[in-house]
Amino acid sequence: MAEQMSQPFNLLLGRKTFEIFASYWPLHEDEWPGINKATKYVASNTLTKHEWPNSVFLKGNVVAEIKKLKQQEGPELQVHGSGNLIQTLLAHDLVDEFWLKIFPVTLGTGKRLFDKGTIPASYTLLESKSSPNGVIIATLKRAGDVETGSF
């Protein structure tokens, strides 16, 4: 995971995650080099500006704006947190790769990663490892339509 976060990147964030990040990262870039220089694209119906440098607020049709962003040249576009935004991305087949961290704990009910509206899709496991505490870290890349009948 550290390798993924050390490469050039831009961020695509929902409003809630953006506000959490904006309250912390401007003062702690030593913990995540490049975070303040990265462009932060924000999907929000209510927030339209912020003093955190390089923050861009998507206007109008968010799905169309994200499709435009994905077609542009530039650094990798990463989404962290942003549970509601992830549902929109999944429903419109806009996820190219997942970096999942699966913790060995259950907390009861909560948000679902693959909720209503998620289209069927297949992924290829690019890498997996586990931490000494049992956290499974898996990198999955979009691999086309679902093929049934085999493991």
Side-chain angles (χ1 to χ4, degrees), residues 39-84:
T39 300
K40 280 74 70 181
Y41 296 100
V42 184
S44 174
N45 293 322
T46 56
L47 198 58
T48 58
K49 63 182 178 176
H50 197 278
E51 66 273 0
W52 193 13
N54 305 314
S55 297
V56 176
F57 294 84
L58 302 178
K59 295 176 176 61
N61 182 332
V62 171
V63 171
E65 291 299 310
I66 294 168
K67 286 179 180 180
K68 285 182 201 173
L69 287 174
K70 287 176 57 80
Q71 292 174 356
Q72 295 175 4
E73 291 294 319
E76 184 170 73
L77 188 59
Q78 299 178 3
V79 179
H80 296 262
S82 305
N84 292 335

Side-chain angles (χ1 to χ4, degrees), residues 83-104:
N84 292 335
L85 176 59
I86 290 290
Q87 298 311 308
T88 299
L89 298 175
L90 287 168
H92 292 89
D93 198 17
L94 293 171
V95 176
D96 299 321
E97 192 171 287
F98 279 108
W99 304 337
L100 299 178
K101 292 184 199 171
I102 304 161
F103 291 78

Side-chain angles (χ1 to χ4, degrees), residues 3-64:
E3 309 86 46
Q4 295 162 332
M5 295 173 72
S6 66
Q7 301 299 318
F9 64 92
N10 287 331
L11 294 173
L12 173 61
L13 304 169
R15 180 194 50 84
K16 292 176 190 173
T17 301
F18 172 81
E19 288 179 329
I20 292 167
F21 278 28
S23 70
Y24 183 82
W25 289 115
L27 303 173
H28 298 91
E29 185 173 20
D30 57 313
E31 297 175 37
W32 188 358
I35 181 70
N36 291 324
K37 292 180 183 137
T39 300
K40 280 74 70 181
Y41 296 100
V42 184
S44 174
N45 293 322
T46 56
L47 198 58
T48 58
K49 63 182 178 176
H50 197 278
E51 66 273 0
W52 193 13
N54 305 314
S55 297
V56 176
F57 294 84
L58 302 178
K59 295 176 176 61
N61 182 332
V62 171
V63 171

Side-chain angles (χ1 to χ4, degrees), residues 138-151:
T139 303
L140 303 163
K141 186 171 184 72
R142 184 74 163 87
D145 294 332
V146 175
E147 294 183 26
T148 59
S150 65
F151 285 51

